[in-house]
Amino acid sequence: MVRTRSSEQRRELGAFVRALREKLAPADMGLPAGQRRRTPGLRREEIAHLSGLSTTWYTWLEQGRDISVSPSALARLAHALRLGRAERAYLFELAGIRDPDEDAIEDNAVSAAVLASVTTIDSPAYILNRCWTALSWNHKAERLFAGWLDRPGERNLLRFIFLEPSARSLIHRYEERARRVVGEFRADVSSHTTEPAIRSLIGELRSQSTDFARYWDEHWVLGREGGERTFNHPTDGFLDYQQVTFRVASHPDLKLTILIEQAALADALAGSGSLSSTPS
């Protein structure tokens, strides 16, 4: 059980829940419409009953009182209110609680448009899921990442870096980059380390790679900030890129990574003052 956050957030939580309750039609919930409903939507006692909660507790929640809220109670309320993804995420954010069903929700099918977006990018680009397995990539990324994206089977970036021997020759300054990747991964999955898929991946890498085990035990935490990425490509020779990474709005656990050639970036900056971050 945890306490909801500030008084302002408690008031917002109560107002949000009330607005959602008032949008629900009794008939849609299998309830009689009745003759004397003074307010729109469901009554407080009705939504409390549908959620398996006490009417008093639910009333206090709407009133913005400082009460204890459990993840399971809030999950039942979210289900009863028939919340969509964004509404549910907002509900738990206001309450300051992690959604116990977040992992299952984030595993919902990714739209074809999101997966196909990388094909419209004229630079190496790929999309990673929470476990850092590539879900989609373009031809330039497949050519660049020889030994990872050009092979059949699961394409997990961490398994490539730490278990595929060719990664050591492809990635310039391998040890520095590998250590940084572990710090980025730790930060990225900090709230999901108890998830079975994440635990299994970490356990596998710790047991099969002394490098990963050593870096993981350092407890180094880094944001996935991008920056220079250099490679010793078996066909194309030395390659120099700037990496940028974006979160996918509809699936926050997905990461879109783009690698921009340094030469192309320099030309773009020289040819367009609007791309420069330095005021004139």
Side-chain angles (χ1 to χ4, degrees):
M1 304 284 284
V2 300
R3 295 278 179 178
T4 53
R5 296 180 179 178
S6 67
S7 59
E8 182 179 349
Q9 286 172 310
R10 292 197 301 271
R11 288 194 297 270
E12 172 61 20
L13 175 61
F16 180 58
V17 170
R18 178 178 179 177
L20 293 168
R21 172 176 61 84
E22 292 178 347
K23 292 177 182 178
L24 295 174
D28 293 340
M29 311 297 287
L31 299 172
Q35 300 261 331
R36 297 185 176 178
R37 286 187 177 268
R38 298 180 179 178
T39 59
L42 302 186
R43 300 186 178 99
R44 285 174 173 169
E45 59 267 27
E46 290 172 332
I47 197 65
H49 174 73
L50 290 170
S51 305
L53 304 169
S54 76
T55 300
T56 299
W57 182 92
Y58 177 79
T59 299
W60 287 352
L61 182 71
E62 276 200 6
Q63 291 174 345
R65 296 200 189 186
D66 187 11
I67 58 175
S68 296
V69 181
S70 71
S72 59
L74 210 59
R76 294 199 302 274
L77 179 58
H79 178 73
L81 291 169
R82 298 185 174 183
L83 302 191
R85 179 198 298 270
E87 292 171 324
R88 184 180 176 114
Y90 186 62
L91 176 73
F92 278 88
E93 176 64 24
L94 286 175
I97 299 174
R98 183 175 182 269
D99 187 347
D101 298 325
E102 180 182 3
D103 296 339
I105 291 171
E106 292 301 337
D107 284 339
N108 288 344
V110 182
S111 73
V114 169
L115 296 177
S117 64
V118 294
T119 64
T120 68
I121 300 172
D122 192 29
S123 292
Y126 55 87
I127 294 175
L128 297 179
N129 67 8
R130 182 184 296 157
C131 289
W132 287 30
T133 296
L135 301 183
S136 181
W137 57 92
N138 60 19
H139 291 301
K140 289 191 174 183
E142 183 173 321
R143 179 178 178 85
L144 171 61
F145 288 100
W148 176 37
L149 297 179
D150 64 340
R151 295 185 179 181
E154 186 206 45
R155 296 169 173 86
N156 182 271
L157 179 57
L158 294 165
R159 289 192 178 101
F160 166 66
I161 292 174
F162 291 100
L163 304 182
E164 169 56 48
S166 65
R168 290 183 174 271
S169 57
L170 174 67
I171 300 171
H172 185 57
R173 296 198 299 268
Y174 172 83
E175 291 186 3
E176 173 189 330
R177 183 69 200 124
R179 181 171 181 262
R180 187 175 186 88
V181 161
V182 174
E184 293 172 345
F185 181 67
R186 179 185 286 278
D188 201 35
V189 299
S190 60
S191 61
H192 303 287
T193 51
T194 59
E195 182 183 345
I198 298 294
R199 293 181 62 184
S200 176
L201 176 61
I202 293 171
E204 174 192 344
L205 292 167
R206 282 178 57 86
S207 66
Q208 297 188 33
S209 169
T210 56
D211 285 336
F212 181 89
R214 182 172 71 257
Y215 300 146
W216 186 259
D217 290 341
E218 289 178 351
H219 295 272
W220 202 30
V221 177
L222 289 171
R224 193 168 169 80
E225 299 171 350
E228 186 177 27
R229 300 290 183 266
T230 49
F231 302 88
N232 295 310
H233 196 271
T235 303
D236 300 333
F238 182 77
L239 300 172
D240 192 1
Y241 293 91
Q242 280 287 325
Q243 176 182 296
V244 291
T245 298
F246 305 92
R247 295 283 181 179
V248 178
S250 59
H251 288 75
D253 277 343
L254 299 187
K255 294 161 284 294
L256 167 62
T257 296
I258 304 173
L259 292 151
I260 306 169
E261 289 186 68
Q262 289 281 18
L265 180 60
D267 289 343
L269 291 173
S272 176
S274 63
L275 293 178
S276 175
S277 59
T278 303
S280 56

